[in-house]
Amino acid sequence: MHLEQLYEYCLSKKESTEHFPFDEVTLVFKIKGKMFALIGLDKWEKGETKINLKCSPEWSLELRSTYEGINPGFHMNKKHWNTITLNEDVPDKVVFELIDHSYQLIVKSLPKKTQAELDNL
């Protein structure tokens, strides 16, 4: 998978925005101000093709035992975040499912009124 594919997919989510809140090399995708995906661009350029995504704790454990390329989130809450190494043993289809899952977890954490507004877009 290429960075452009990841970038376009994350931005295709309703109301998704891109930010650099930590430094000039950590690309963060947010929905209504809350993070759902992080990519270290400097590491990507060095061949470390990784993305951090939020995940339900139960599914995280299952994914980590299934794929070598899914590990506890680097610099994140390891219970709720995974670091996925792309172009290894994790199929692209699963990566897209995990992006969707991360996005949906954040949407579900938003106030009901905000969730309804997103549904109406």
Side-chain angles (χ1 to χ4, degrees):
M1 182 180 307
H2 299 285
L3 180 60
E4 294 79 18
Q5 288 173 284
L6 218 62
Y7 177 84
E8 289 173 10
Y9 193 77
C10 288
L11 273 184
S12 74
K13 310 314 265 168
K14 285 183 186 179
E15 297 290 306
S16 174
T17 55
E18 62 177 296
H19 304 269
F20 289 88
F22 305 114
D23 53 39
E24 65 280 348
V25 295
T26 306
L27 174 59
V28 176
F29 293 94
K30 295 182 177 184
I31 171 69
K32 299 293 184 182
K34 294 187 175 219
M35 300 185 300
F36 72 92
L38 298 91
I39 302 170
L41 299 177
D42 58 336
K43 291 183 180 182
W44 193 284
E45 289 178 5
K46 294 176 185 174
E48 294 180 43
T49 54
K50 299 179 180 184
I51 184 170
N52 280 6
L53 297 168
K54 192 161 190 168
C55 190
S56 63
E58 305 78 26
W59 197 23
S60 286
L61 294 174
E62 179 184 333
L63 290 163
R64 292 172 193 169
S65 67
T66 304
Y67 300 103
E68 287 184 27
I70 298 181
N71 295 287
F74 184 69
H75 287 307
M76 305 297 283
N77 179 323
K78 293 173 183 3
K79 181 178 180 181
H80 297 281
W81 288 84
N82 288 322
T83 297
I84 295 96
T85 303
L86 295 113
N87 305 320
E88 282 194 3
D89 68 329
V90 183
D92 290 355
K93 179 182 177 189
V94 173
V95 174
F96 291 129
E97 287 174 15
L98 291 170
I99 292 169
D100 293 344
H101 178 67
S102 182
Y103 177 86
Q104 285 303 319
L105 284 174
I106 299 304
V107 168
K108 288 178 184 175
S109 75
L110 297 171
K112 297 290 183 201
K113 180 180 177 185
T114 306
Q115 290 180 42
E117 289 169 1
L118 285 171
D119 287 340
N120 292 327
L121 292 178

